[in-house]
Amino acid sequence: MSMTNTPYGLRAINRNDGMPYAGATSQFLIDPAGEATNLFFGQAVIIGADGYIALSTATGADLTTNNLGGDSMGAWGVFVGASYINAQGQQIYGQYYPSGTTGVVTAYVITDPDVTFQAQLDGQVTQAALGANTFFAAVQSTSTGNTRTGNSTSALESTVVTTAAAFKIIGFASPLTDTYTEVFVKFNPGASAFTNAVGI
């Protein structure tokens, strides 16, 4: 039941063709000089112009200037954790990347554009939302996450659109009577860097 506003970003559920998602991720580096922004489990991330993983600071409300990757590029995928060596010399595997962490930091990212994700909307929708498009209700930032759990706290927009946007609603994960509907979504073509011919 989703009677409370408790968003959690994007959670991988299965593949768009109904096959199970096996949990595959790809590994990329975060800037060894340190990123100024926390990265939380379930956030959309990009490859920056420097070639390192960074947080997407667009909502994905369109697939041009407000695309998840900015300037039509699309998101690189969904961040699901990081590994690094802390100040005590310990190898850490965490749900999130704490801003400013330096050294060799590996990010784990779901890059498969055919994965179905579950997310909570910031309000209620009707059956008519099936097949419509949505996007992040607010810009992801260093504070759109919980440093205790490591999880994102970003919701998707309940005012759905028919114009091009980051995600397509392909199913409902909670009853439509819930105050904050939970939905299944997929990346739209062009909202993922892996379905977009535009380079960085």
Side-chain angles (χ1 to χ4, degrees), residues 25-39:
T25 60
S26 299
Q27 298 179 23
F28 304 95
L29 294 178
I30 294 173
D31 188 345
E35 277 290 321
T37 308
N38 294 332
L39 299 177

Side-chain angles (χ1 to χ4, degrees), residues 33-146:
E35 277 290 321
T37 308
N38 294 332
L39 299 177
F40 292 100
F41 186 102
Q43 287 186 324
V45 291
I46 64 170
I47 289 287
D50 57 4
Y52 294 112
I53 287 289
L55 183 66
S56 169
T57 56
T59 63
D62 63 55
L63 297 187
T64 54
T65 58
N66 197 7
N67 200 353
L68 289 174
D71 298 332
S72 303
M73 187 183 75
W76 200 249
V78 175
F79 179 86
V80 290
S83 63
Y84 55 91
I85 296 175
N86 68 9
Q88 289 73 43
Q90 301 163 318
Q91 182 74 50
I92 301 297
Y93 294 89
Q95 285 268 98
Y96 87 106
Y97 164 81
S99 65
T101 300
T102 59
V104 178
V105 185
T106 302
Y108 301 94
V109 181
I110 299 172
T111 57
D112 186 347
D114 293 320
V115 171
T116 295
F117 295 93
Q118 182 175 323
Q120 188 178 64
L121 303 179
D122 67 349
Q124 189 176 29
V125 294
T126 67
Q127 183 69 31
L130 186 66
N133 290 337
T134 184
F135 47 92
F136 286 114
V139 172
Q140 298 178 117
S141 71
T142 196
S143 60
T144 52
N146 184 317

